[in-house]
Amino acid sequence: MNHFIGSLSTEFIKIRNSFAFWLLLLGAGFMPGLVFFVVMTKWKNFIPKTGENTWTAYTEISWKGMAFLYTNFWVVLLMCLVLNIEHKSIAWKHLFTLPVKRSSLYLYKYLTLLILFASLYGLFIPFWLVSGNLLGILHPELKMLSTKPDYLYLLNTCFHSFVATLGVFAIHFWMSIRFKNMIIPIGFAIVSGIVFVALFQGRAPELVYYPYSYNYLTVNPQQFVSNNQIGVFAIHEIFSLLYFAVFSLLSYVDFVKWFKE
Amino acid sequence: MIIETQDLNFGFDRHRQLIKNLNIMVPRGSIYGFLGPNGAGKTTTIRLLLGLLSAVPNKIYLFRQPLEENKMSIFSRIGALIEQPSLYEHLSGRDNLIVTQRLRNIRANRVEEVLKIVDLHKDARKRVSAYSMGMKQRLGIAIALLAEPDLLILDEPINGLDPNGIIEIRELLIKLNQENGTSIFLSSHQLPEIEKLVTHLGIIDNGQLIFQGTIQDLGFAQGRHSHLKIETNDNTKAQILIEETFGLRLSNDGNYLEVTYGDKEQIASLCNLLVSAGISIFHIEKAKSDLESLFLNILKKA
């Protein structure tokens, strides 16, 4: 177990001083910062009427911002940057001559990226709370200090957003392994984002099969897309988990069997 | 043998074999220099030895075990440096070592030990991007040394180093070999430097091993190829005299006599003979026949 933790920790050492580390902080802080700026400049529009809670509107615009392509692109960029550390350092050839199984190297990398992805939400929550409370201090009329956000909704949305993005996560992990560069996965993500907007504008029910739409569908369910539930998950979240399973398996086989340094 | 290949062949496609019937024999405790011109197949061979390229099974043996079936146990006894060192330039030298130390599950204080061995302990906190080429090369070797390996496989370890760096690496490798008994297999095309370092040699050209032996074998080969260039006031008379007295064959291009000799004593006897016979020697020169010229001779013959 100690060896496993020690080996896993090497992935976090590699992120030190790299842009991937800053992407985590910036990614978690950007949306709360942006929403803070929007509310600051138009704060009078957000003054609650009787019985209203400003946190509700604050939550809504924050999550819509997070879900509309932002989280997908953040994941894509994280994937590219973290895997590019090895590609750029020509480090695979060294790692493959160590007495460490390829399956272990795969596991360390995959787990690290999952932890980093989960950390996006872990950091987003405090940043978001701080920005909301700061607004409450700067504009007491918003009553954000005397009211509270819906913490359950916050945690629940974080969890479902995480699940809804796992499909894109696995697809881009595989792409970063397969193509060993940043251009193709990022280019693919941009095209996929454009396709999502087109499908969304066309109110296409096929969005339920399209992994780049899942985060948005989780935060903002649409009438024209199936909203069936299976247990605690919406149908598109189940599809996200299926994409995750299929592409994780594909990247595992690709890495262990065919990947050349 | 610590490394042995048996009729090893390799090619990326059927029509172009990069390695042809390679039979490398590296004795335990040796420093084996693997020489060859660029594109001869040195790096491909090293990649095959380290399992980075797939060979036909049971053609490569390390520590007398077939590589394919025993990769983990074999790799646990090897330290390797392949082409340019794999270094995370955004990390410090120490962090680079810690990554390998933790993955290999080596005791933590070994990091400081290898930093001292390669004389990088004072620069261990610097980012690798600020290191010179020589420092990076030494760090690469430090990473290879972390596990106190029985065998070091180094691909062009002195490539890109200045003369001081070359001397440092050479001394370090000789020390490791003599004090720790580490066997070393290293490739290079810097022949004069290899000559000062290795105990055994293999020369590869066009994917084929064209010479393999100890440095003593090389000395014998050198002896056979050592020759003198002599200019006298009467080359014809000198030629007849030397051929009759020593039974040596000479070539005479009109200006110089070229004589192939066996040992140093013969040079002195030859000079005495000519002077006693009243022949004036204007010029006598021991033609160079170091590893470089031997290497070129061997390549020409191949």
Side-chain angles (χ1 to χ4, degrees), chain A residues 7-61:
Chain A
S7 298
L8 187 64
S9 72
T10 63
E11 295 295 333
F12 291 91
I13 292 173
K14 289 180 207 169
I15 291 165
R16 239 184 250 170
N17 307 332
S18 75
F19 187 67
F21 172 77
W22 290 108
L23 181 76
L24 179 61
L25 291 180
L26 291 171
F30 178 75
M31 197 50 71
L34 186 69
V35 176
F36 173 84
F37 178 75
V38 169
V39 177
M40 267 297 282
T41 51
K42 298 182 178 178
W43 64 274
K44 283 181 184 165
N45 298 345
F46 289 88
I47 293 173
K49 293 169 189 158
T50 313
E52 281 184 351
N53 183 344
T54 311
W55 282 103
T56 308
Y58 197 65
T59 304
E60 192 184 335
I61 55 169

Side-chain angles (χ1 to χ4, degrees), chain B residues 281-300:
Chain B
I281 301 171
F282 299 147
H283 180 103
I284 184 161
E285 175 192 350
K286 189 177 168 187
K288 275 193 174 178
S289 185
D290 56 9
L291 181 56
E292 192 156 7
S293 46
L294 176 72
F295 175 66
L296 292 171
N297 280 339
I298 289 171
L299 288 184
K300 272 183 207 164

Side-chain angles (χ1 to χ4, degrees), chain A residues 3 6-7 9-10 13-18 85-86 89-91 93-101 105 108 260-261, chain B residues 47 50 52 54 72 75-76 80 82-92 95 98-100 102-105 127 143:
Chain A
H3 182 214
S7 298
S9 72
T10 63
I13 292 173
K14 289 180 207 169
I15 291 165
R16 239 184 250 170
N17 307 332
S18 75
I85 291 173
E86 251 76 29
S89 309
I90 329 166
K93 66 175 164 43
H94 169 63
L95 295 173
F96 291 159
T97 56
L98 298 180
V100 182
K101 287 180 180 167
L105 294 173
Y108 301 145
K260 302 279 179 211
E261 17 69 65
Chain B
R47 284 174 172 265
L50 292 168
L52 292 170
S54 303
M72 290 302 117
F75 288 171
S76 66
I82 313 147
E83 295 169 303
Q84 62 197 92
S86 299
L87 301 172
Y88 302 104
E89 299 226 343
H90 62 289
L91 299 180
S92 68
D95 281 345
I98 289 171
V99 167
T100 300
R102 290 194 186 170
L103 281 170
R104 294 191 80 145
N105 203 16
R127 282 194 195 192
I143 291 171

Side-chain angles (χ1 to χ4, degrees), chain B residues 197-210:
Chain B
L197 175 63
V198 299
T199 58
H200 291 69
L201 274 173
I203 298 179
I204 185 173
D205 184 42
N206 200 22
Q208 288 178 305
L209 199 62
I210 53 178

